[in-house]
């Protein structure tokens, strides 16, 4: 209790200090007040104060007593007893330690739940395995593509993938592409002559694997005795979905065409090929579409395509239509003409074509043996309508498609859909990723039927619509 050098009303001064027999200090306990009243008569002020401070030192019992520390926290730090300040700091350190322990326990509990599954997860993790619940029940005859949902994407240059065909099916793509070259009466698959190998053929990479898959998807069992006559596709979740096999004719179309017709016979004999039946299209597990140097006139002829089971990849750029008849298309971007067959050595007769054949057969996608009018393309002879995005629409220089570019896209889609064909743009931007995603998102929203993709994971496993900024 501090000395007082002024007289209070009704008090006597003793020894230079005020008589505080009736104390008004709210921090004093009743015991302190009684002692103070007695001490005024029997003891000195310093003795009474020392006794009071000694009693205020925290014991083990009072250390965690929040009521006593609350009084200390109500006072400014300059007015605190040094012992109180020390005790408060010790108390806060203890609180922080207990808080850290609680947080650590919470994290470890969460990890324990993840690492040590509960009852239902223990069952599902081991279900179907030997010695566990569901033993022998985890498989069925057509489970090759279990859980895979088909999506409208085209696996561009599929043969470049580490696992051709299977990677595309695993991703859910409904269309795959094979570049085919004729050499010594064999069909080889590769992007250029330098990439060809004796073992990588159309049969080894695509036809034989697909035959195996379709045999598994159409089993003959006690429950399904007509397996040889069923037509389930590669996707078990949507068995009616046809897989499009896009064959890019890299060499002379007229020379290559009969070999492709012959190579497809294993599919044909099993009834696996989509075909034309008069004025109707019969959809089957495999739909073959010819692109590149595929001649349209050979597809249309009953002599060269007697089974009517090869379809054409029509030129999308020629199908632009406006909303009204009088509407004119926006100007198309200027582009260098494509040169087809540039890496074909004329010294190899199997690969080279005559000058007359080159004029009619080696014109590239949608041009070889083409009709004079785009109205000749119908679902009875064509499946896709495709074009290079860069050449038909142009570069996306500002990170956004211009209004003129959008009008070109909408006119292409309008014209192709009017003819019953599915729209596909190839050579779309692939970098920056944000620009690629923006173009994909725009094409899908505008009505493109199939996305032409090189990055299967980016197109099928991520929500690329969330990242459409130009950079990066």
């Amino acid at each position: 209790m501090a000395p007082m050098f002024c007289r209070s009303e009704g008090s006597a001064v003793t020894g230079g200090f005020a008589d505080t027999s009736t104390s008004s200090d709210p921090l004093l306990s009743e015991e302190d007040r009684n002692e103070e009243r007695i001490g005024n008569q029997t003891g000195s002020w310093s003795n009474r104060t020392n006794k009071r401070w000694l009693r205020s030192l925290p014991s083990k019992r009072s250390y965690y007593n929040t009521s006593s520390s609350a009084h200390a926290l109500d006072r400014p730090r300059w007015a605190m007893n040094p012992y109180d300040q020390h005790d408060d700091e010790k108390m806060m350190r203890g609180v922080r330690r207990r808080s850290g322990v609680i947080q650590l326990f919470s994290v470890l509990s969460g990890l324990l739940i993840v690492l040590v599954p509960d009852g239902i997860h223990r069952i599902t993790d081991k279900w179907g395995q030997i010695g566990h619940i569901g033993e022998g029940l985890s498989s069925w005859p057509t489970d090759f593509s279990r859980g895979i949902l088909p999506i409208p994407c085209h696996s561009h240059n599929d043969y470049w993938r580490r696992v051709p065909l299977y990677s595309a099916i695993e991703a859910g793509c409904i269309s795959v592409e094979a570049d085919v070259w004729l050499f010594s009466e064999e069909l080889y698959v590769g992007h250029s002559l330098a990439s060809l190998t004796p073992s990588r053929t159309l049969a080894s990479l695509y036809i034989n694997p697909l035959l195996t898959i379709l045999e598994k998807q159409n089993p003959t069992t006690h429950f399904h005795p007509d397996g040889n006559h069923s037509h389930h596709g590669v996707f078990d979740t949507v068995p009616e979905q046809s897989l499009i096999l896009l064959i890019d004719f890299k060499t002379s179309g007229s020379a290559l065409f009969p070999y492709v017709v012959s190579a497809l016979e294993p599919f044909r004999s099993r009834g696996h090929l989509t075909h034309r039946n008069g004025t109707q299209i019969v959809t089957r597990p495999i739909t073959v579409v010819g692109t590149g140097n595929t001649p349209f006139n050979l597809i249309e002829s009953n002599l060269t395509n007697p089974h009517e089971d090869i379809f054409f990849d029509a030129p999308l750029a020629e199908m632009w239509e406006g909303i009204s008849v009088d509407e004119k298309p926006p100007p198309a971007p200027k582009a260098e003409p494509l040169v087809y067959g540039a890496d074909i050595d004329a010294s190899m007769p199997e690969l080279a074509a005559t000058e007359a054949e080159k004029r009619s057969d080696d014109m590239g996608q949608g041009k070889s043996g083409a009709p004079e009018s785009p109205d000749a393309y119908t679902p009875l002879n064509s499946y896709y309508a495709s074009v290079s995005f860069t050449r038909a629409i142009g570069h996306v220089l500002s990170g956004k498609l211009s209004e003129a570019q959008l009008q070109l896209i909408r006119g292409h889609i309008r014209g192709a859909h009017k003819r019953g064909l599915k729209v596909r743009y190839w050579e779309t931007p692939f970098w920056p990723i944000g620009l690629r995603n923006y173009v994909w998102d725009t094409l899908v929203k505008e009505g493109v039927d199939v996305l032409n993709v090189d990055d299967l994971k980016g197109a099928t496993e991520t929500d690329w619509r969330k990242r459409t900024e130009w950079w990066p």
Side-chain angles (χ1 to χ4, degrees):
M1 187 172 179
M4 300 182 65
F5 294 94
C6 62
R7 180 186 298 270
S8 299
E9 186 177 351
S11 66
V13 176
T14 303
F17 295 96
D19 183 5
T20 56
S21 58
T22 304
S23 176
S24 60
D25 189 349
L27 297 180
L28 294 180
S29 64
E30 186 63 25
E31 181 181 359
D32 291 334
R33 291 191 179 94
N34 292 335
E35 180 179 320
E36 187 174 273
R37 286 194 293 269
I38 298 171
N40 287 335
Q41 302 173 3
T42 61
S44 67
W45 174 87
S46 58
N47 290 337
R48 296 195 304 274
T49 303
N50 290 338
K51 291 180 181 180
R52 189 181 306 136
W53 277 36
L54 287 173
R55 285 201 305 274
S56 68
L57 294 178
S59 62
K60 292 183 178 180
R61 175 176 298 180
S62 64
Y63 182 75
Y64 296 104
N65 187 338
T66 57
S67 62
S68 62
S69 61
H71 289 301
L73 293 177
D74 287 338
R75 289 175 289 177
R77 294 188 63 86
W78 59 266
M80 284 186 178
N81 188 306
Y83 294 103
D84 290 341
Q85 296 181 29
H86 178 68
D87 293 344
D88 290 337
E89 292 172 359
K90 289 178 62 179
M91 180 184 70
M92 294 307 298
R93 286 197 297 269
V95 170
R96 286 194 292 268
R97 283 196 297 268
R98 291 194 297 274
S99 177
V101 171
I102 293 173
Q103 292 179 1
L104 179 61
F105 179 77
S106 177
V107 172
L108 293 178
S109 299
L111 290 175
L112 187 64
I113 294 174
V114 174
L115 298 177
V116 183
D118 56 18
I120 187 63
H121 290 98
R122 285 197 297 270
I123 294 176
T124 56
D125 288 346
K126 300 292 184 179
W127 193 86
Q129 298 181 15
I130 298 176
H132 295 275
I133 296 175
E135 179 178 350
L137 304 178
S138 62
S139 63
W140 60 93
T142 61
D143 64 356
F144 162 76
S145 55
R146 68 165 73 193
I148 298 175
L149 297 174
I151 59 177
C153 73
H154 170 74
S155 179
H156 181 235
N157 292 337
D158 180 78
Y159 48 85
W160 269 347
R161 308 196 184 284
R162 189 182 69 82
V163 185
L165 179 64
Y166 293 100
S167 295
I169 295 176
E170 182 182 33
C173 285
I174 62 172
S175 181
V176 296
E177 178 179 337
D179 291 1
V180 174
W181 306 74
L182 174 65
F183 187 75
S184 300
E185 299 186 347
E186 182 61 84
L187 301 179
Y188 296 95
V189 174
H191 196 66
S192 63
L193 287 175
S195 67
L196 301 182
T197 66
S199 60
R200 293 171 65 87
T201 65
L202 183 63
S204 65
L205 289 178
Y206 293 96
I207 295 178
N208 292 339
L210 282 172
L211 286 172
T212 301
I213 294 171
L214 293 176
E215 182 178 357
K216 183 175 179 60
Q217 298 304 98
N218 296 275
T220 299
T221 66
H222 171 72
F223 304 98
H224 191 248
D226 297 328
N228 293 331
H229 299 90
S230 64
H231 306 292
H232 293 167
V234 299
F235 297 104
D236 194 39
T237 53
V238 188
E240 65 273 15
Q241 174 65 56
S242 184
L243 181 73
I244 292 86
L245 178 58
L246 186 68
I247 300 179
D248 190 342
F249 284 41
K250 304 301 287 187
T251 50
S252 170
S254 59
L256 188 55
F257 196 86
Y259 287 93
V260 172
V261 172
S262 177
L264 297 175
E265 183 57 33
F267 290 142
R268 189 178 297 117
S269 62
R270 292 168 173 80
H272 291 329
L273 292 178
T274 298
H275 59 278
R276 180 173 68 183
N277 183 11
T279 59
Q280 300 292 325
I281 296 296
V282 180
T283 302
R284 292 296 169 81
I286 304 295
T287 299
V288 177
V289 180
T291 188
N293 290 330
T294 303
F296 176 77
N297 58 323
L298 297 187
I299 286 179
E300 275 281 81
S301 173
N302 289 331
L303 296 177
T304 52
N305 188 21
H307 307 285
E308 300 178 314
D309 51 15
I310 301 178
F311 296 85
F312 193 59
D313 185 15
L316 179 60
E318 298 179 11
M319 298 184 184
W320 191 94
E321 288 194 11
I323 299 176
S324 63
V325 178
D326 298 331
E327 185 178 354
K328 300 297 182 182
K334 294 181 179 181
E336 294 295 327
L338 293 173
V339 179
Y340 295 94
D343 57 352
I344 296 177
D345 189 345
S347 65
M348 295 183 287
E350 298 89 346
L351 299 178
T354 65
E355 290 301 317
E357 287 175 330
K358 285 183 179 180
R359 284 194 295 271
S360 61
D361 290 351
D362 299 342
M363 300 299 293
Q365 185 267 320
K367 301 292 187 180
S368 299
E372 295 182 358
S373 171
D375 292 334
Y377 303 115
T378 72
L380 297 178
N381 55 43
S382 302
Y383 185 84
Y384 282 135
S386 305
V387 72
S388 164
F389 181 90
T390 302
R391 293 177 178 275
I393 306 301
H395 296 285
V396 189
L397 299 178
S398 62
K400 297 289 183 182
L401 290 164
S402 67
E403 187 59 32
Q405 289 175 316
L406 290 173
Q407 290 303 321
L408 282 171
I409 293 172
R410 290 163 185 166
H412 290 159
I413 296 173
R414 191 180 298 115
H417 286 176
K418 178 181 177 180
R419 294 167 174 82
L421 306 182
K422 299 188 182 299
V423 177
R424 179 182 71 97
Y425 285 101
W426 48 279
E427 208 174 35
T428 54
F430 61 89
W431 193 88
I433 299 300
L435 177 62
R436 178 202 69 181
N437 293 353
Y438 163 72
V439 171
W440 281 356
D441 187 51
T442 302
L443 292 179
V444 170
K445 288 179 179 177
E446 294 296 338
V448 166
D449 299 284
V450 176
L451 276 183
N452 194 87
V453 300
D454 294 290
D455 181 3
L456 292 181
K457 184 175 182 180
T460 63
E461 296 184 16
T462 59
D463 189 358
W464 40 264
R465 294 170 298 177
K466 292 183 178 180
R467 185 179 179 184
T468 56
E469 296 82 7
W470 190 91
W471 187 265

